[in-house]
Amino acid sequence: MSDHASSRLWVMRAGFALLMLTILFFHLLPLQTSTGGLIWPDFTLCFAFAWSVRRPEYVPPLLLAGAFLLTDLLLQRPPGLWAVLALIACENLKGQSRGLRDATLMAEIASVAIWILGIAVAYCVVHAVLLIDAPALGPLVLQAVATIIAYPLVIAITHGVLGVRKAAPDELGGKGVRS
């Protein structure tokens, strides 16, 4: 790997970490002072999925695990549960990234939507099995739907603004490995 490619890799990893911290910063701002109100999409999950599909090498498992664990801690969720579920989904999407590279946008959105709904269901099931106060199912489903709806916007931002695009066929070596 050349020095330019190596430095770009580390810059993009640092950029992802900065993006996650920025999203968390805006999530923690007291913009909503009344109870109830809007249910926002999980942008950390959206960006992690988009980057995992487009450039898996930019989001190594330790970076994803750290970002999701920090999210759990700052948003006062059970530490590690959402992080593990999201990490499993991201790693599976990384495994599918070569097939999704050649697929249509709707196929990618459908695959991501299945994982988002799967994470929401698994989160509720684990809460029920461990007899932890489960979050209300309605808002969790609404957040999952909002996250699925926001995913195309995140793809546009990832592709157009941040410059994280799917690998072109000429960027892959003979055996399908990035060169």
Side-chain angles (χ1 to χ4, degrees):
M1 186 182 290
S2 70
D3 287 338
H4 182 271
S6 178
S7 64
R8 171 137 173 97
L9 177 70
W10 285 103
V11 165
M12 294 308 285
R13 287 178 177 177
F16 180 78
L18 184 62
L19 176 67
M20 291 292 115
L21 291 173
T22 304
I23 291 169
L24 279 172
F25 172 76
F26 283 108
H27 194 281
L28 293 172
L29 284 177
L31 299 175
Q32 187 174 343
T33 56
S34 64
T35 58
L38 295 175
I39 295 178
W40 292 96
D42 188 346
F43 286 112
T44 57
L45 193 62
C46 279
F47 277 103
F49 282 176
W51 284 50
S52 293
V53 169
R54 275 152 180 62
R55 291 295 186 151
E57 69 272 11
Y58 289 171
V59 284
L62 284 177
L63 178 60
L64 287 170
F68 287 130
L69 185 61
L70 181 63
T71 303
D72 279 353
L73 294 172
L74 291 177
L75 299 182
Q76 299 179 356
R77 295 188 291 220
L81 177 57
W82 189 267
V84 165
L85 295 172
L87 182 62
I88 289 169
C90 284
E91 289 302 309
N92 279 310
L93 282 171
K94 284 181 189 181
Q96 297 174 358
S97 68
R98 186 164 183 227
L100 290 174
R101 183 191 78 219
D102 300 329
T104 64
L105 180 63
M106 289 309 296
E108 177 185 342
I109 293 171
S111 180
V112 166
I114 290 168
W115 277 109
I116 290 170
L117 292 173
I119 289 173
V121 168
Y123 190 72
C124 287
V125 167
V126 170
H127 272 86
V129 167
L130 296 177
L131 301 174
I132 301 172
D133 288 335
L137 187 60
L140 191 61
V141 169
L142 285 176
Q143 185 182 29
V145 170
T147 303
I148 293 167
I149 292 170
Y151 187 72
L153 174 67
V154 168
I155 290 172
I157 292 169
T158 297
H159 183 83
V161 178
L162 301 175
V164 179
R165 295 171 175 82
K166 292 181 180 180
D170 63 340
E171 292 181 56
L172 301 176
K175 294 186 179 182
V177 179
R178 284 182 174 76
S179 53

